């Protein structure tokens, strides 16, 4: 239920306040809005877990993080450990699956993953140049991609696939085929459909695409390591907008890693700032769905709330942000707070 109390927000051109379900601007009643959703937020450290090693809850370079739709399981890619570890929202270890190898259910430098609406787990098995599908408990279902562990630019094959995204209708699978500088689309059974994009710097082109995320409206967001930018596409992969360049300002990136979306389609980005000439102050940046900067948090170090090399993110239904740090070999949880 939306609160009946009024919230006053002053902006340069108008007086806006929310009462009940409506926004009143200059005396006119506008369309319904969500209270507080678009107010800039700060984030505070909650907890962290992990250290370097091969035991449960330890990591060898943690990478992608993803919740299932019920926020019951947080799947974490243990990249150099060649396995997936699964935790609850508080960091309690639950179970794991995978080991190093080329066989079914085995990994060679797993990188990104997606949990579809049915709870299945899709893993971009980067070193094996393939995608593997598992059930929610990590039981192997099937794979597609390269028949061997060698990179390829043949359609339907991959060269270092870094991420996979399944649409909410469970109809299509999209793969960030990073070193081929393209997105490939498959049906839900892994049959090739088409290629999206090619190498370049123009809108709709890619230079090392790293992550694909689909928002609540069916739009796609892709970040590119090479171009240090984010592109937004509609559901048919027509370009809508892009933002970013190399640098340390609040709309720039330096060695951009990955992105994630919350339930309001805000965009979160891990930005290590680790290249020569950049700030060397790693951070997480938050933007709205149109690429407008909202806030940032983090600094360099190994203390709580600090990062050395922030890799990937996940956001739960309460807006908490989970960040994997591949150099500190841990996962940190941050909670949002409405800015005063």
């Amino acid at each position: 239920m939306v609160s009946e109390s009024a919230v006053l927000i002053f902006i340069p051109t108008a007086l806006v306040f929310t009462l009940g379900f409506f926004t009143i601007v200059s005396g006119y009643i506008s369309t319904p809005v969500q209270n507080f959703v678009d107010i800039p937020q700060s984030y505070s450290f909650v907890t962290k877990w992990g250290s370097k090693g091969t035991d449960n809850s330890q990591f060898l370079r943690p990478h992608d993080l993803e919740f299932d739709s019920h926020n019951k399981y947080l799947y974490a890619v243990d990249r150099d450990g060649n396995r997936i570890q699964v935790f609850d929202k508080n960091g309690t270890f639950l179970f794991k699956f995978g080991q190093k190898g080329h066989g079914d259910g085995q990994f060679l430098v797993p990188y990104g993953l997606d949990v579809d609406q049915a709870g299945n787990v899709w893993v971009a098995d980067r070193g094996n140049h393939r995608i593997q599908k598992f059930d929610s408990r990590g039981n192997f279902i099937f794979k597609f991609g390269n028949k061997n562990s060698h990179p390829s630019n043949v359609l339907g094959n991959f060269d270092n696939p870094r991420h996979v995204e399944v649409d909410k209708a469970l109809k299509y699978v999209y793969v960030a085929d990073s070193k081929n500088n393209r997105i490939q689309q498959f049906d839900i059974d892994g049959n090739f459909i088409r290629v999206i994009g090619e190498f370049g710097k123009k809108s709709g082109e890619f230079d090392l695409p790293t992550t694909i995320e689909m928002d609540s409206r069916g739009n796609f967001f892709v970040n590119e390591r090479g171009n240090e930018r984010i592109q937004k596409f509609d559901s048919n992969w027509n370009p809508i907008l892009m933002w970013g360049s190399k640098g340390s300002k609040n709309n720039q990136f330096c060695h951009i890693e990955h992105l994630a979306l919350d339930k309001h389609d805000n965009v979160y980005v891990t930005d290590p700032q680790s290249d020569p000439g950049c700030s060397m102050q790693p951070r997480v940046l938050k933007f709205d769905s149109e690429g407008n900067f909202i806030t940032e948090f983090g600094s360099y170090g190994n203390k709580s709330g600090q990062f050395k090399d922030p890799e990937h993110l996940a956001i739960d239904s309460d807006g908490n942000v989970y960040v994997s740090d591949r150099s500190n070999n841990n996962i940190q949880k941050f909670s949002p707070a409405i800015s005063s």
Side-chain angles (χ1 to χ4, degrees), residues 284-299:
V284 172
L285 296 164
K286 179 180 179 181
F287 303 87
D288 68 18
S289 62
E290 301 304 313
N292 299 303
F293 174 78
I294 296 176
T295 192
E296 66 176 33
F297 60 92
S299 61

Side-chain angles (χ1 to χ4, degrees), residues 149-294:
S149 296
H150 302 296
S152 170
N153 62 5
V154 174
L155 297 181
N157 285 6
F158 307 113
D159 185 349
N160 282 262
R162 278 184 163 91
H163 202 254
V164 56
E165 181 77 358
V166 182
D167 72 356
K168 293 174 175 55
L170 301 177
K171 188 174 182 181
Y172 298 118
V173 181
Y174 301 90
V175 179
D177 188 9
S178 292
K179 289 194 176 180
N180 283 324
N181 299 295
R182 63 191 182 187
I183 307 298
Q184 295 201 66
Q185 181 179 357
F186 300 82
D187 68 19
I188 200 67
D189 297 315
N191 299 304
F192 172 78
I193 294 179
R194 63 166 172 159
V195 165
I196 300 157
E198 60 183 6
F199 177 75
K201 298 184 180 302
K202 297 178 182 177
S203 177
E205 297 177 337
F206 302 110
D207 186 352
L208 276 179
T210 305
T211 312
I212 308 167
E213 292 289 345
M214 189 179 192
D215 73 9
S216 63
R217 299 176 181 270
N219 301 309
F220 294 95
F221 291 81
V222 179
N223 72 301
E224 305 165 65
R225 174 81 54 79
N227 282 326
E228 300 282 11
R229 69 180 181 185
I230 297 169
Q231 293 196 69
K232 180 179 180 180
F233 302 83
D234 68 16
S235 59
N236 293 314
W237 287 92
N238 298 304
I240 297 175
L241 63 87
M242 60 183 178
W243 75 93
S245 60
K246 188 161 189 174
S248 302
K249 296 179 181 178
N250 60 23
N251 61 350
Q252 294 181 311
F253 312 105
C254 187
H255 205 86
I256 186 173
E257 289 289 2
H258 293 277
L259 63 85
L261 308 179
D262 65 18
K263 64 182 180 181
H264 305 300
D265 297 334
N266 295 309
V267 181
Y268 301 73
V269 183
T270 44
D271 182 28
Q273 287 287 312
S274 56
D275 290 347
C278 295
S279 73
M280 303 297 165
Q281 292 297 314
R283 58 189 181 170
V284 172
L285 296 164
K286 179 180 179 181
F287 303 87
D288 68 18
S289 62
E290 301 304 313
N292 299 303
F293 174 78
I294 296 176

Side-chain angles (χ1 to χ4, degrees), residues 67-74 86-89 94 137:
F67 276 104
D68 70 337
S69 60
H70 303 292
N71 282 197
K72 180 180 179 181
Y73 296 143
L74 174 62
V86 186
F87 305 89
D88 68 14
K89 292 173 63 173
L94 300 176
R137 298 292 300 185

